[in-house]
Amino acid sequence: MEEHSMIRTTLLRSLIFTLTLGSAALVAASPAVTAPDAGPPPTRLAAAADNDVDARSERLSINSATADQLAAALNGVGLKKAEAIVSYREKYGNFTQLEQLTEVPGIGRALLERNLDRLKL
C-alpha cells in the first residue's frame, strides 16, 4: 500500500512539473500584446466648444454648455445630472450665480464646491 502511495505521489509531482513547464513555455512563446498608439490623451474639455470654454482657465460655461460637455468636464456629474442642469436652465433661464446649481435636483453643495474651479457663468 505504501508503495502505491509513493508511486502516486511521484506521478503527481511529475505531472505538475510537466504542466508548469508547458504553461511557462506557452506564455514565453506567445506574442506580446500591446495597445495601439492612440496619440496623446485627450484633455478634460476636449469635447467642449471653443465659445463654451475659457481657454485661460479651462472653465465651462453652465449657461451654454451641452449635457455631454458638462458630463465630460465635471467631477461626479454623469449624463443624467448634466441633463438635469440643462433642463433646469431651459426651464428657468440662465444661471445668474454658480451657487444656483444647488437648486438642480441631484446637485448638492459638496458637488458644486468640488467643481467650482471648472465652471463659469
Side-chain angles (χ1 to χ4, degrees):
M1 199 51 108
E2 197 173 308
E3 188 176 322
H4 291 306
S5 179
M6 254 174 70
I7 292 173
R8 196 174 340 166
T9 303
T10 304
L11 284 173
L12 282 174
R13 285 185 182 163
S14 296
L15 180 62
I16 291 171
F17 181 74
T18 303
L19 289 173
T20 304
L21 280 179
S23 297
L26 285 174
V27 170
S30 65
V33 178
T34 58
D37 184 20
T43 61
R44 284 188 64 105
L45 299 175
D50 290 340
N51 62 337
D52 293 334
V53 179
D54 183 336
R56 289 171 280 126
S57 62
E58 293 190 41
R59 290 183 180 226
L60 187 65
S61 170
I62 60 172
N63 285 324
S64 59
T66 66
D68 288 333
Q69 291 169 331
L70 290 166
L74 301 180
N75 184 348
V77 174
L79 190 56
K80 192 165 190 147
K81 285 183 184 177
E83 288 171 345
I85 293 170
V86 172
S87 293
Y88 184 92
R89 181 179 71 209
E90 290 171 350
K91 183 174 182 179
Y92 298 104
N94 282 347
F95 294 92
T96 57
Q97 22 182 330
L98 294 176
E99 288 73 22
Q100 281 180 288
L101 275 174
T102 58
E103 297 172 16
V104 176
I107 308 293
R109 187 78 194 149
L111 185 62
L112 173 64
E113 288 177 8
R114 192 170 44 214
N115 288 290
L116 278 175
D117 62 332
R118 297 179 175 114
L119 296 171
K120 69 176 184 175
L121 290 176

